Amino acid sequence: MRPASHAGHKHEAVNPHLFAGPRQAAAMVCNIASGLARVDPEGAAAYHAAAETYSARLLAVGRRLASVGAGARRKGIVLQHDALAYLAHDAGLDVVDVIQESEDIQPSAARLMELVRRVRAEQPVLIVSEPQYSDKPALALARETGVPTARLDPVTSGPADAPLSYYESVMSANCQILERYFDQH
């Protein structure tokens, strides 16, 4: 899965936010353990055991996310930025569009009007903002279309002294938010 392009929003080769999907994060954990085992063969068993334990926990979050989309009749979602594309994929949701096509540039008035037309036509369930960006474009889009907005965290940053369970906690909170908006029939 390479969510590199969404409604005209592209990264050069691939979406670099792979870590924002728990299933992909679990694969990253196993790859890191394999790399550590290659450079430190004496610690290989410990690296692999720790990776197996942690990746199982991440995959459990991934299964919870997958149940969001699996049970939903409508699956459309608008993302503020494509950092959450892998999370949306893990949740079985369809990315209708991305508000902010560049990390550094707020959408223009013309872009917002284009988004209003698209959202009205596609009728997604949710517009998602992210904590590292201003939520003003998402809120304006929600006001104009009547589609609710919620804030999800792709874990692109966090506290310097985050506990080891930080990623899981944030992703579980994201699941809880999505479960509120996507019906589970």
Coordinates of all heavy atoms in Angstrom, one line a residue, residues 25-94:
A25 N 3.5 0.3 11.2 CA 4.4 0.6 12.3 C 4.9 -0.8 12.9 O 6.1 -0.9 13.2 CB 3.7 1.4 13.4
A26 N 4.0 -1.8 12.9 CA 4.4 -3.1 13.4 C 5.4 -3.7 12.5 O 6.4 -4.3 13.0 CB 3.2 -4.0 13.5
A27 N 5.3 -3.5 11.2 CA 6.3 -4.1 10.2 C 7.6 -3.3 10.4 O 8.7 -3.9 10.4 CB 5.8 -3.9 8.8
M28 N 7.5 -2.0 10.7 CA 8.8 -1.2 10.9 C 9.5 -1.8 12.2 O 10.7 -1.9 12.2 CB 8.4 0.2 11.1 CG 7.9 0.9 9.8 SD 7.3 2.6 10.1 CE 8.9 3.4 10.3
V29 N 8.7 -2.1 13.2 CA 9.4 -2.6 14.5 C 10.1 -3.9 14.1 O 11.3 -4.1 14.6 CB 8.3 -2.9 15.5 CG1 8.8 -3.7 16.7 CG2 7.7 -1.5 16.0
C30 N 9.5 -4.8 13.4 CA 10.2 -6.0 13.0 C 11.4 -5.8 12.2 O 12.5 -6.5 12.3 CB 9.2 -7.0 12.3 SG 7.9 -7.5 13.4
N31 N 11.3 -4.8 11.2 CA 12.5 -4.5 10.4 C 13.6 -3.9 11.2 O 14.8 -4.2 11.0 CB 12.1 -3.5 9.3 CG 11.3 -4.2 8.2 OD1 11.3 -5.4 8.0 ND2 10.5 -3.4 7.5
I32 N 13.3 -3.1 12.2 CA 14.3 -2.5 13.1 C 15.0 -3.6 13.9 O 16.2 -3.7 14.0 CB 13.7 -1.5 14.0 CG1 13.3 -0.2 13.2 CG2 14.7 -1.1 15.1 CD1 12.4 0.8 13.9
A33 N 14.2 -4.6 14.4 CA 14.8 -5.7 15.2 C 15.7 -6.5 14.3 O 16.8 -6.9 14.7 CB 13.7 -6.6 15.7
S34 N 15.3 -6.7 13.1 CA 16.2 -7.5 12.1 C 17.5 -6.8 11.9 O 18.6 -7.4 11.8 CB 15.5 -7.8 10.8 OG 14.4 -8.7 11.1
G35 N 17.4 -5.5 11.7 CA 18.6 -4.7 11.5 C 19.5 -4.7 12.7 O 20.8 -4.8 12.6
L36 N 19.0 -4.6 13.9 CA 19.8 -4.6 15.1 C 20.4 -6.0 15.3 O 21.5 -6.1 15.7 CB 18.9 -4.3 16.3 CG 18.5 -2.8 16.4 CD1 17.4 -2.7 17.5 CD2 19.7 -1.9 16.7
A37 N 19.6 -7.0 14.9 CA 20.2 -8.4 15.1 C 21.3 -8.6 14.1 O 22.3 -9.4 14.5 CB 19.1 -9.4 14.8
R38 N 21.3 -8.0 12.9 CA 22.4 -8.2 12.0 C 23.7 -7.5 12.5 O 24.8 -8.1 12.4 CB 22.1 -7.5 10.7 CG 21.3 -8.5 9.7 CD 21.3 -8.0 8.3 NE 20.6 -6.7 8.2 CZ 19.3 -6.5 8.1 NH1 18.5 -7.5 8.2 NH2 18.7 -5.3 8.0
V39 N 23.6 -6.4 13.2 CA 24.8 -5.7 13.7 C 25.2 -6.2 15.1 O 26.3 -5.9 15.5 CB 24.7 -4.2 13.7 CG1 24.5 -3.7 12.3 CG2 23.6 -3.7 14.6
D40 N 24.3 -6.8 15.8 CA 24.5 -7.3 17.1 C 23.9 -8.7 17.3 O 22.9 -8.9 17.9 CB 23.9 -6.4 18.2 CG 24.2 -6.9 19.6 OD1 25.1 -7.7 19.8 OD2 23.4 -6.4 20.5
P41 N 24.6 -9.7 16.6 CA 24.0 -11.1 16.6 C 23.8 -11.7 18.0 O 22.9 -12.5 18.2 CB 25.1 -11.9 15.9 CG 25.9 -10.9 15.1 CD 25.8 -9.6 15.9
E42 N 24.6 -11.3 19.0 CA 24.4 -11.8 20.4 C 23.1 -11.3 21.0 O 22.5 -12.0 21.8 CB 25.6 -11.4 21.3 CG 26.9 -12.0 20.9 CD 28.1 -11.6 21.7 OE1 27.8 -10.9 22.8 OE2 29.2 -11.9 21.4
G43 N 22.6 -10.2 20.6 CA 21.3 -9.7 21.1 C 20.1 -10.0 20.2 O 19.0 -9.6 20.5
A44 N 20.3 -10.8 19.2 CA 19.3 -11.0 18.2 C 18.0 -11.6 18.8 O 16.9 -11.2 18.5 CB 19.8 -12.0 17.1
A45 N 18.2 -12.6 19.7 CA 17.0 -13.2 20.3 C 16.2 -12.2 21.1 O 14.9 -12.2 21.0 CB 17.4 -14.4 21.2
A46 N 16.9 -11.3 21.8 CA 16.2 -10.3 22.6 C 15.5 -9.3 21.7 O 14.3 -8.9 22.0 CB 17.2 -9.6 23.6
Y47 N 16.2 -8.9 20.6 CA 15.5 -7.9 19.7 C 14.3 -8.5 19.1 O 13.3 -7.8 19.0 CB 16.5 -7.5 18.6 CG 17.8 -6.8 19.1 CD1 19.0 -7.2 18.6 CD2 17.7 -5.8 20.0 CE1 20.2 -6.6 19.1 CE2 18.9 -5.2 20.5 CZ 20.1 -5.6 20.0 OH 21.3 -5.0 20.4
H48 N 14.4 -9.7 18.6 CA 13.3 -10.4 18.0 C 12.1 -10.6 18.9 O 10.9 -10.4 18.6 CB 13.7 -11.6 17.2 CG 14.5 -11.4 16.0 ND1 14.0 -10.7 14.9 CD2 15.8 -11.7 15.7 CE1 14.9 -10.6 14.0 NE2 16.0 -11.2 14.4
A49 N 12.4 -11.0 20.2 CA 11.4 -11.2 21.1 C 10.6 -9.9 21.5 O 9.4 -9.9 21.5 CB 12.0 -11.9 22.4
A50 N 11.4 -8.9 21.7 CA 10.8 -7.6 22.0 C 10.0 -7.1 20.8 O 8.8 -6.6 21.0 CB 11.9 -6.5 22.4
A51 N 10.5 -7.3 19.6 CA 9.7 -6.8 18.4 C 8.4 -7.6 18.3 O 7.4 -7.1 17.9 CB 10.6 -7.0 17.2
E52 N 8.5 -8.9 18.5 CA 7.3 -9.7 18.4 C 6.2 -9.3 19.4 O 5.1 -9.2 19.1 CB 7.7 -11.2 18.7 CG 6.5 -12.2 18.4 CD 7.0 -13.6 18.6 OE1 8.0 -14.0 18.1 OE2 6.2 -14.4 19.2
T53 N 6.6 -9.0 20.6 CA 5.7 -8.5 21.7 C 5.1 -7.2 21.3 O 3.9 -7.0 21.3 CB 6.4 -8.4 23.0 OG1 6.9 -9.7 23.4 CG2 5.5 -7.9 24.1
Y54 N 5.9 -6.2 20.9 CA 5.4 -4.9 20.6 C 4.6 -4.9 19.3 O 3.6 -4.3 19.2 CB 6.6 -3.9 20.5 CG 6.1 -2.5 20.4 CD1 5.2 -2.0 21.4 CD2 6.5 -1.7 19.4 CE1 4.7 -0.7 21.3 CE2 6.0 -0.3 19.3 CZ 5.2 0.1 20.3 OH 4.7 1.4 20.2
S55 N 5.1 -5.6 18.3 CA 4.3 -5.6 17.0 C 3.0 -6.3 17.2 O 2.0 -5.9 16.6 CB 5.1 -6.3 15.9 OG 5.3 -7.7 16.1
A56 N 2.9 -7.2 18.1 CA 1.5 -7.9 18.4 C 0.6 -6.8 19.0 O -0.6 -6.8 18.7 CB 1.7 -9.0 19.3
R57 N 1.1 -6.0 19.9 CA 0.3 -4.9 20.4 C -0.1 -3.9 19.4 O -1.3 -3.5 19.4 CB 1.0 -4.2 21.6 CG 1.2 -5.2 22.8 CD 2.0 -4.7 23.9 NE 2.3 -3.3 24.1 CZ 3.3 -2.8 24.7 NH1 4.2 -3.6 25.3 NH2 3.5 -1.5 24.9
L58 N 0.8 -3.5 18.5 CA 0.4 -2.6 17.4 C -0.6 -3.2 16.4 O -1.5 -2.6 16.0 CB 1.7 -2.2 16.6 CG 2.7 -1.4 17.4 CD1 3.9 -1.1 16.6 CD2 2.1 -0.1 18.0
L59 N -0.4 -4.5 16.2 CA -1.4 -5.2 15.3 C -2.8 -5.3 15.9 O -3.8 -5.2 15.2 CB -0.9 -6.6 14.9 CG 0.3 -6.6 13.9 CD1 0.9 -8.0 13.8 CD2 0.0 -6.0 12.6
A60 N -2.8 -5.4 17.2 CA -4.1 -5.4 17.9 C -4.8 -4.0 17.7 O -6.0 -3.9 17.4 CB -4.0 -5.6 19.4
V61 N -4.1 -2.9 17.8 CA -4.6 -1.6 17.5 C -5.1 -1.5 16.0 O -6.1 -1.0 15.7 CB -3.6 -0.5 17.8 CG1 -4.2 0.9 17.4 CG2 -3.3 -0.5 19.3
G62 N -4.3 -2.1 15.1 CA -4.6 -2.2 13.7 C -5.9 -2.9 13.5 O -6.7 -2.5 12.6
R63 N -6.1 -4.0 14.2 CA -7.4 -4.8 14.0 C -8.6 -3.9 14.5 O -9.6 -3.9 13.9 CB -7.3 -6.1 14.8 CG -6.5 -7.1 14.1 CD -6.6 -8.5 14.7 NE -6.1 -8.6 16.1 CZ -4.8 -8.7 16.4 NH1 -3.9 -8.8 15.5 NH2 -4.4 -8.7 17.7
R64 N -8.4 -3.2 15.6 CA -9.4 -2.3 16.1 C -9.8 -1.3 15.1 O -10.9 -1.0 14.8 CB -9.0 -1.7 17.4 CG -10.1 -0.8 18.0 CD -9.7 -0.3 19.4 NE -10.7 0.7 19.8 CZ -10.5 1.6 20.8 NH1 -9.3 1.5 21.5 NH2 -11.4 2.4 21.2
L65 N -8.7 -0.7 14.5 CA -8.9 0.3 13.4 C -9.7 -0.3 12.2 O -10.6 0.3 11.7 CB -7.6 0.8 12.9 CG -7.1 2.1 13.5 CD1 -5.7 2.5 12.9 CD2 -8.1 3.3 13.2
A66 N -9.3 -1.5 11.8 CA -9.9 -2.2 10.7 C -11.4 -2.4 10.9 O -12.2 -2.3 10.0 CB -9.2 -3.5 10.4
S67 N -11.8 -2.6 12.2 CA -13.2 -2.8 12.5 C -14.0 -1.5 12.3 O -15.2 -1.6 12.0 CB -13.4 -3.4 13.9 OG -13.1 -2.4 14.8
V68 N -13.4 -0.4 12.3 CA -14.1 0.9 12.1 C -14.7 0.9 10.7 O -15.9 1.1 10.5 CB -13.1 2.1 12.3 CG1 -13.8 3.4 11.8 CG2 -12.7 2.2 13.7
G69 N -13.9 0.7 9.7 CA -14.4 0.7 8.3 C -15.2 -0.5 7.9 O -16.1 -0.5 7.1
A70 N -14.8 -1.7 8.5 CA -15.5 -2.9 8.2 C -17.0 -2.8 8.5 O -17.8 -3.4 7.8 CB -14.8 -4.1 8.9
G71 N -17.3 -2.1 9.6 CA -18.7 -2.1 10.0 C -19.4 -0.8 9.5 O -20.6 -0.7 9.8
A72 N -18.8 0.0 8.8 CA -19.4 1.3 8.4 C -20.0 1.2 7.0 O -19.4 0.7 6.1 CB -18.3 2.4 8.4
R73 N -21.2 1.8 6.9 CA -21.9 1.8 5.6 C -21.3 2.9 4.7 O -21.1 2.7 3.6 CB -23.4 2.1 5.8 CG -24.2 0.9 6.4 CD -25.6 1.3 6.6 NE -25.5 2.2 7.8 CZ -26.4 3.1 8.1 NH1 -27.5 3.2 7.4 NH2 -26.3 3.8 9.2
R74 N -21.0 4.0 5.3 CA -20.3 5.1 4.6 C -18.9 5.2 5.1 O -18.7 5.2 6.3 CB -21.1 6.4 4.8 CG -22.4 6.4 4.2 CD -23.3 7.6 4.4 NE -22.5 8.9 4.2 CZ -22.5 9.9 5.1 NH1 -23.2 9.8 6.2 NH2 -21.8 11.0 4.8
K75 N -17.9 5.4 4.2 CA -16.5 5.3 4.6 C -15.7 6.6 4.2 O -14.5 6.6 4.4 CB -15.9 4.1 4.1 CG -16.6 2.8 4.5 CD -16.0 1.6 3.9 CE -16.8 0.4 4.2 NZ -16.0 -0.8 4.4
G76 N -16.3 7.6 3.7 CA -15.6 8.7 3.2 C -15.0 9.6 4.4 O -15.7 9.8 5.4
I77 N -13.8 10.1 4.2 CA -13.1 10.9 5.1 C -12.3 12.0 4.4 O -11.7 11.7 3.3 CB -12.3 10.1 6.1 CG1 -11.8 10.9 7.3 CG2 -11.1 9.4 5.4 CD1 -11.1 10.0 8.4
V78 N -12.2 13.2 4.9 CA -11.3 14.2 4.3 C -10.2 14.4 5.4 O -10.5 14.6 6.5 CB -12.1 15.5 4.1 CG1 -11.2 16.7 3.7 CG2 -13.2 15.3 3.0
L79 N -9.0 14.4 4.9 CA -7.8 14.6 5.8 C -7.3 16.0 5.6 O -7.3 16.6 4.5 CB -6.8 13.6 5.4 CG -7.1 12.1 5.5 CD1 -6.0 11.3 5.1 CD2 -7.6 11.8 6.9
Q80 N -6.8 16.6 6.7 CA -6.1 17.9 6.6 C -4.9 17.8 5.8 O -4.5 18.6 5.0 CB -5.8 18.4 8.0 CG -5.2 19.8 8.0 CD -5.3 20.5 9.3 OE1 -5.7 20.0 10.3 NE2 -5.0 21.8 9.2
H81 N -4.1 16.7 6.1 CA -2.8 16.5 5.4 C -2.7 15.0 5.2 O -3.3 14.2 6.0 CB -1.7 17.1 6.2 CG -0.3 16.8 5.6 ND1 0.5 15.9 6.0 CD2 0.3 17.4 4.5 CE1 1.6 15.9 5.3 NE2 1.5 16.9 4.4
D82 N -1.9 14.5 4.3 CA -1.9 13.1 4.1 C -1.1 12.3 5.1 O -0.9 11.1 4.9 CB -1.4 12.7 2.7 CG 0.0 13.0 2.4 OD1 0.7 13.7 3.3 OD2 0.5 12.6 1.4
A83 N -0.7 12.9 6.2 CA 0.0 12.1 7.2 C -0.8 11.0 7.8 O -0.3 10.0 8.3 CB 0.5 13.0 8.4
L84 N -2.2 11.2 7.7 CA -3.1 10.1 8.2 C -3.6 9.2 7.2 O -4.5 8.4 7.4 CB -4.3 10.8 8.9 CG -3.9 11.5 10.3 CD1 -5.0 12.4 10.7 CD2 -3.6 10.4 11.3
A85 N -3.0 9.2 6.0 CA -3.5 8.3 4.9 C -3.3 6.8 5.3 O -4.2 6.0 5.0 CB -2.7 8.6 3.6
Y86 N -2.2 6.5 5.9 CA -2.0 5.1 6.3 C -3.0 4.7 7.4 O -3.5 3.5 7.4 CB -0.6 4.8 6.7 CG 0.4 4.8 5.5 CD1 1.2 5.9 5.3 CD2 0.5 3.7 4.7 CE1 2.1 5.8 4.2 CE2 1.3 3.6 3.6 CZ 2.1 4.7 3.4 OH 3.0 4.7 2.3
L87 N -3.2 5.6 8.3 CA -4.2 5.3 9.4 C -5.6 5.1 8.7 O -6.3 4.2 9.1 CB -4.3 6.4 10.4 CG -5.3 6.2 11.5 CD1 -4.6 6.2 12.8 CD2 -6.3 7.3 11.5
A88 N -6.0 6.0 7.8 CA -7.3 5.8 7.1 C -7.3 4.5 6.4 O -8.4 3.8 6.4 CB -7.5 7.0 6.1
H89 N -6.2 4.1 5.7 CA -6.2 2.8 5.0 C -6.4 1.7 6.0 O -7.1 0.7 5.8 CB -4.9 2.7 4.3 CG -4.7 1.4 3.6 ND1 -4.1 0.3 4.1 CD2 -5.2 1.0 2.4 CE1 -4.2 -0.7 3.3 NE2 -4.8 -0.3 2.2
D90 N -5.7 1.7 7.1 CA -5.8 0.7 8.2 C -7.2 0.6 8.7 O -7.7 -0.5 9.1 CB -4.8 0.9 9.3 CG -3.4 0.4 9.0 OD1 -3.1 0.0 7.9 OD2 -2.6 0.5 10.0
A91 N -7.9 1.7 8.7 CA -9.3 1.8 9.2 C -10.3 1.4 8.1 O -11.5 1.4 8.4 CB -9.6 3.2 9.8
G92 N -9.8 1.1 6.9 CA -10.8 0.8 5.8 C -11.6 2.0 5.4 O -12.7 1.8 4.9
L93 N -11.1 3.2 5.5 CA -11.8 4.4 5.1 C -11.3 4.9 3.8 O -10.2 4.6 3.4 CB -11.6 5.4 6.2 CG -12.1 5.0 7.6 CD1 -11.8 6.1 8.6 CD2 -13.6 4.7 7.6
D94 N -12.2 5.6 3.1 CA -11.8 6.2 1.8 C -11.5 7.6 1.9 O -12.3 8.4 2.3 CB -13.0 6.0 0.8 CG -13.4 4.5 0.6 OD1 -12.5 3.7 0.6 OD2 -14.6 4.3 0.5

